[in-house]
Amino acid sequence: MTLQDLDIPRLRGLDLVPTSSDKQTARDYSSDQEVRWCPGCGDYAVLKAVQSFLPDLGLRRENIVFVSGIGCSSRFPYYLDTYGMHSIHGRAPSIATGIATAREDLSVWVVTGDGDALSIGGNHLVHALRRNVNMTILLFNNRIYGLTKGQYSPTSEAGKVTKSTPVGSIDHPFNPVSLALGAEATFVARTIDSDRKHLTSVLSAAAAHRGTALVEIYQNCPIFNDGAFDAVKDGDTKADAIVPLVHGEPIAFGTGGSKGLVRDSLTGGVKVALVAEVGIENVLVHDAHNSDPTMAFAISRLTDGGVLRQAPIGIFRQVERPTYDDQARAQVAATRAATAPDQTPEAQLAALLGGGDTWTVG
Amino acid sequence: MSTSETPVKQLDRVVIRFAGDSGDGMQLTGDRFTQESAVFGNDLVTLPNFPAEIRAPQGTLPGVSSFQVHVADHNILTPGDAPDVLVAMNPAALRANLADLRPGATIIVDTHEFTARNLQKAGYAADPLATLEEPGNALEAFQVHPVNLTGMTVEAVKEFGISRKDAARAKNMFALGLLSWLYGRPTEPTVTFLERRFAKAPAIRDANLTAFRAGWNFGETTETFAITYAVKPAPMQPGRYRNITGNLALAYGLVAAGVRSGLPVFLGSYPITPASDILHELSKHKALGVTTFQAEDEIAGVGSAIGASFAGALGVTTTSGPGVALKSEAIGLAVMTELPLVVVDVQRGGPSTGLPTKTEQSDLLQAMFGRNGDAPVPVIAPQSPGDCFDAAIEAARIAVTYRTPVMLLSDGYLANGSAPWRIPAVDGLPAIEPGFATGPNHTKADGTEEFWPYLRDDETLARPWAIPGTAGLEHRIGGLEKGDGHGDISYDPANHDLMTRTRAAKIARIADSLPPLVVDDPSGCSNVLVVGWGSTYGPIGAAVRQVRAAGGKVAQVHLRHLNPFPKDLGEILRSYDRVLVPEMNMGQLSLLLRGTYLVDAIGFNVVRGLPIKAAELADTIHELIDAASDTPSRREALR
Amino acid sequence: MTYVIAQPCVDVRDRACVDECPVDCIYQGERMLYIQPDECVDCGACEPVCPAEAIFYADDVPDEWTDYIAINAEVFDGLGQPGGAGNHGPLGADHPRIQALETEGAGA
């Protein structure tokens, strides 16, 4: 059976999830558990944004599932009054894959961190992304190990001095967006914990996406890596640090939009230029819907692996591709329809057991 | 095909081994001979034995693949200790298998392959066939039939215009035809099979059919074989039968568990020898609501199954020992979250990569204890290929009823071996009741109702299974310790002690649902009890029969449930003077029995990657009987 | 829930909390600072740094200052969620009841 034979409807992210006509508020999504992150942790901001945003989806609360791994951010499901599982280190995407494949009527979310998703669970992350299972992954990137008290993470800058690297880390860090694009993820975005408006708009787009949506959230750890994202947060620096990605808009930034992205013929990638020198007509217009991830990848490289000074923020890529779970269900449905659809399961089972070469005694 | 004029000798049983290069199609040949015998009505047990390499260097000893089938006119339990007939397709196959044959055994060799180069690869300094007439030759103890199988096959199929290589490949069918004639097997099943298998390649189909018939006709016309043999059908319980391997039966059992529970089956699995066939088989049964997910690794396989269980499916993961090691943490999560999960471990020789294609029972302690923390998991094991069906249903019953992961320990011998299986009636299979939670189960002090995910059933101690989509039962579970009842995170010392004991008590309660053990002790006055589990059922049973036939008194009991043990096991063990525990490991069940019941379990431990030989075990049983008779009998005292 | 700034801040306005707040939801009035309750994410970073011990979790506001829960909220009536004190700048005003408070040393 080929993909073309399967009757896979074109769906949006939550099309098969039952909706609720009840008026919902953030309070409906808050569980009775006391939140236990450190004072000032960026996780609070994301939790608040998610609790405030979920009512807007208009779904039945019982049809939402949050799955997490291990780490500070992975406490998240306990604080939401939905179905949830706080699982084991790095494995949330695989558990969510089982949930999403078993049930079409659930809105499935994964909450993970840079250690959980990119170190111990790196394998599951890239495979979820390439399969395009219908789930939204919130990757809280604080560029440090928090729960184990301050070792460097796979996104920590090279040279970082931590408890386990007293003379500096010699690990080259991952760029999560580049990694996701390399795995041909169909939705890849980056946002910032403290920018509730942007965070919420990205979450909305991610929820509406059918397939695996990866949202990297720059999240400050005030205890072990305070100020890691100051460049994109401080009023004085953020205009020059944030490269805003808006589909259909020229990628211009800096005070008064003085800088823009242009193609770099030397590297085949993109570079920052002064708009006054190159002309606004030569500034790249962001195309998140480009089926070829090459340009999105080039843009993702603008975030260097060292101390953060500049970062593209927004939706890098948003394309349609059949999801793993929709296809798996379609194969089951098509096979059912083609094989004795009128028979009871018991009769089908009896036919199965009695198949092959048989003989009768007595 | 015509019947032979050659005299027929009646046999009550025969053990035939087909051996050749990995590429010679010996598994298929053996399987076809088995099917012919099954349709004929014999009882039979098979033992495939093949190298881990897909194509080891041609003609070498490591490249030898074999298939042994034991055919009888009576109920049998093992594939046979020593073959009566060896078909050797090359010198390596002869050399590798010679030591296993009984004296006087028949050997049919393909002379075409006895070239200088092949002899050298097999380590023969000289061609053993060249000296057959000389007294004291290496094959003197056997009846050797040198036959140019390849040459005659190529000659027979030349009319089809296929390549010489393809023509020569049909030699296994020539051999099958010859053996089918020699043992009076029905040929229709193989003809039908070949027509179906090569329907899209008419030339290959015709070549194989022709080779098969040519082999039969060769037997009839040659004077090499003075007599043919017949093995009458075995009396069996009335019913409809098929021949089945353990892996196929296990897959069917999982499908049946889905039907009988009304739950969709979700298999998350990563391919591994010798378990992959279960994944292959289940992927064919989408029409029965089975979803298979070939995961990126073993951990994702079990993770997805746990996710599917949380979502209300029957989550299953299939693997072998190394895969269980990788899944251990996730199985612990299923213990903690108390979700149904069936973990199938088709055991193979270990440790590490070990012997991927050979059998062993050495994962029992891993299944019991291979997790961090006190993480009790029920363990069950099938005793025969067909029993894999019932064991899979039982594993699902325990998993669903008690909301727990269950370890199902098959092994490589059961997985690939086959035996006749009486096809069960679907409505006679056990029903499994998921009993999803539908509403609140606890009332707060202020009178409002709420859902407590860890409030337990009084009888089974199982927690409620509330699946997403059920309004009002929203809850969070996870790997952190749970507060009793409400299920919120709790680090309270007394609570952890209580929950650890409760998890253990829940698994212990499973014993309440088990039937009493059946002790096979016809004399009623044996002093020696043989205790086994899993696939050693056949060899133990055969050994016990041999002992009894020689006048020895011995009792046998076989365990399906390894955790918890059946409630009457302790009493049974204590009522015998000697307890012998044969295992294909270094004494894992012995250790459990000693630790649990303080009995002096005596191990009989063989780890050769092959089933235990009944005759060797019988010798040990005799020795124990003799030793027991020298000391005062506990049974006498009890009586 | 939210954190709330109460009476001890009046005419103090130390601003240590403003530096600490990760979401920049503490706004400057003429006589005290105010927490925008919808923007506050309950992280608790502000509370321990206040030298005047003026900040409380809403549930824990001392009885004599519970009216500050409403005062913190009402000062944003008409402003909504400005989306960050740094961008917005000082409020330039106070809640009427703060405005009406007598200044220290002015006598009762």
Side-chain angles (χ1 to χ4, degrees), chain A residues 83 130 173 253 270 280 322 324 350:
Chain A
Y83 282 87
R130 79 170 165 86
F253 62 107
V270 297
I280 188 72
Y324 178 89

Side-chain angles (χ1 to χ4, degrees), chain A residues 1 31-33 36 60-65 67 70 75 77-89 91 94-99 101-103 105-106 120 123-125 127-128 130-131 324 328 331-333 335-336 339 344-362, chain B residues 32 35 38-39 41 189 196 236-243 252 255-256 259-260 266 285-297 299-300 303-304 306-308 310-311 313 329-330 333 337 339 389 420-421 423-424 426 429 466-471 473-480 482 488-489 491:
Chain A
M1 164 176 352
S31 77
D32 59 358
Q33 299 297 295
R36 291 191 190 180
R60 295 177 68 95
R61 199 158 46 90
E62 61 270 24
N63 288 77
I64 299 175
V65 182
V67 185
I70 294 294
R75 294 296 183 96
Y78 286 120
Y79 307 138
L80 287 169
D81 199 6
T82 64
Y83 282 87
M85 195 193 302
H86 176 215
S87 73
I88 46 177
H89 210 0
R91 318 303 170 197
S94 61
I95 289 166
T97 295
I99 295 172
T101 306
R103 295 276 297 271
D105 61 334
L106 302 178
I120 196 166
N123 198 29
H124 308 305
L125 179 73
H127 287 278
R130 79 170 165 86
R131 287 192 189 101
Y324 178 89
Q331 281 190 340
V332 168
T335 313
R336 267 191 167 154
T339 340
T344 62
E346 284 76 12
Q348 284 187 61
L349 176 62
L352 173 68
L353 302 184
D357 294 332
T358 66
W359 69 96
T360 302
V361 174
Chain B
R32 289 320 312 164
Q35 287 297 342
V39 170
R196 216 184 312 145
M236 292 195 197
Q237 229 185 325
R240 206 156 146 240
Y241 284 80
R242 65 185 290 179
N243 190 46
Y252 283 0
V255 174
V259 170
R260 296 298 284 171
F266 181 99
H285 301 299
K286 296 178 170 57
L288 276 154
V290 178
T291 299
T292 53
F293 170 60
Q294 183 176 312
E296 60 270 24
D297 61 23
I299 302 171
S304 62
I306 290 171
F310 181 66
E329 188 192 13
L333 175 69
T337 53
L339 286 170
F389 178 83
W421 179 55
I423 299 164
V426 169
L429 300 175
I467 65 170
T470 317
L473 307 193
E474 295 83 2
H475 65 283
R476 276 66 55 194
I477 57 175
L480 287 169
K482 305 283 162 290
D488 295 339
I489 298 171
Y491 300 136

Side-chain angles (χ1 to χ4, degrees), chain C residues 43-70:
Chain C
C43 77
C46 52
E47 185 251 313
V49 299
C50 176
E53 297 184 32
I55 307 179
F56 304 90
Y57 191 57
D59 280 353
D60 303 329
V61 178
D63 289 346
E64 65 267 35
W65 296 324
T66 48
D67 47 346
Y68 279 82
I69 297 172

Side-chain angles (χ1 to χ4, degrees), chain B residues 7 37 136 152 180 183 198 263 309 370 444 452 491 555 595 612:
Chain B
S37 302
M152 285 192 283
S180 298
Y183 288 91
F198 297 115
L263 297 172
S309 275
K444 281 195 222 180
W452 277 21
Y491 300 136
I612 290 171

Side-chain angles (χ1 to χ4, degrees), chain A residues 27-359:
Chain A
R27 188 175 289 262
D28 293 323
Y29 283 92
S30 308
S31 77
D32 59 358
Q33 299 297 295
E34 185 193 349
V35 184
R36 291 191 190 180
W37 288 308
C38 306
C41 179
D43 291 357
Y44 283 98
V46 186
L47 176 63
K48 190 90 170 189
V50 169
Q51 284 170 339
S52 307
F53 149 79
L54 285 175
D56 299 341
L57 293 177
L59 303 176
R60 295 177 68 95
R61 199 158 46 90
E62 61 270 24
N63 288 77
I64 299 175
V65 182
F66 275 79
V67 185
S68 64
I70 294 294
C72 295
S73 60
S74 288
R75 294 296 183 96
F76 210 90
Y78 286 120
Y79 307 138
L80 287 169
D81 199 6
T82 64
Y83 282 87
M85 195 193 302
H86 176 215
S87 73
I88 46 177
H89 210 0
R91 318 303 170 197
S94 61
I95 289 166
T97 295
I99 295 172
T101 306
R103 295 276 297 271
E104 64 184 16
D105 61 334
L106 302 178
S107 169
V108 181
W109 298 72
V110 167
V111 178
T112 184
D114 41 322
D116 195 53
L118 300 172
S119 243
I120 196 166
N123 198 29
H124 308 305
L125 179 73
V126 294
H127 287 278
L129 294 173
R130 79 170 165 86
R131 287 192 189 101
N132 202 28
V133 184
N134 198 26
M135 64 170 91
T136 302
I137 301 175
L138 308 182
L139 197 172
F140 291 50
N141 182 8
N142 57 13
R143 307 187 76 185
I144 198 75
Y145 282 172
L147 201 60
T148 51
K149 297 190 167 50
Q151 301 83 5
Y152 70 103
S153 92
T155 57
S156 295
E157 64 274 18
K160 191 170 194 68
V161 173
T162 72
K163 279 188 181 154
S164 56
T165 50
V167 291
S169 157
I170 51 176
D171 271 26
H172 183 75
F174 263 142
N175 176 329
V177 169
S178 296
L179 181 78
L181 290 167
E184 294 187 53
T186 54
F187 184 105
V188 185
R190 178 185 286 139
T191 184
I192 303 168
D193 58 359
S194 53
D195 187 345
R196 166 113 48 117
K197 200 172 148 200
H198 190 265
L199 177 61
T200 304
S201 73
V202 167
L203 291 180
S204 300
H209 178 72
R210 195 150 192 93
T212 310
L214 179 90
V215 181
E216 181 192 11
I217 303 171
Y218 280 164
Q219 176 246 320
N220 191 49
C221 172
I223 308 298
F224 297 110
N225 203 17
D226 197 20
F229 305 105
D230 277 357
V232 294
K233 292 186 175 195
D234 279 2
D236 298 341
T237 56
K238 69 181 183 186
D240 283 315
I242 292 179
V243 181
L245 303 177
V246 180
H247 178 72
E249 300 280 331
I251 309 172
F253 62 107
T255 314
S258 58
K259 299 186 210 171
L261 294 194
V262 295
R263 287 175 193 275
D264 183 343
S265 57
L266 282 179
T267 63
V270 297
K271 64 179 179 184
V272 177
L274 293 174
V275 175
E277 288 178 7
V278 297
I280 188 72
E281 67 280 7
N282 288 317
V283 171
L284 281 172
V285 173
H286 184 50
D287 180 9
H289 302 162
N290 191 339
S291 60
D292 182 343
T294 308
M295 183 57 71
F297 186 85
I299 294 170
S300 77
R301 303 313 298 159
L302 293 173
T303 312
D304 62 43
V307 173
L308 188 77
R309 297 199 175 80
Q310 168 185 278
I313 302 288
I315 299 168
F316 289 73
R317 185 167 201 241
Q318 186 176 13
V319 298
E320 284 187 37
R321 191 171 81 217
T323 70
Y324 178 89
D325 48 313
D326 283 335
Q327 293 176 85
R329 285 186 292 265
Q331 281 190 340
V332 168
T335 313
R336 267 191 167 154
T339 340
D342 303 331
Q343 272 188 3
T344 62
E346 284 76 12
Q348 284 187 61
L349 176 62
L352 173 68
L353 302 184
D357 294 332
T358 66
W359 69 96

Side-chain angles (χ1 to χ4, degrees), chain C residues 9-58:
Chain C
C9 183
V10 177
D11 297 331
V12 176
R13 298 193 305 172
D14 175 84
R15 293 184 50 85
C17 57
V18 176
D19 294 338
E20 217 51 48
C21 177
V23 294
D24 200 18
C25 71
I26 305 179
Y27 292 77
Q28 186 180 329
E30 293 298 298
R31 294 187 63 189
M32 69 172 277
L33 304 171
Y34 302 88
I35 291 177
Q36 210 298 348
D38 296 319
E39 291 180 357
C40 172
V41 297
D42 306 345
C43 77
C46 52
E47 185 251 313
V49 299
C50 176
E53 297 184 32
I55 307 179
F56 304 90
Y57 191 57

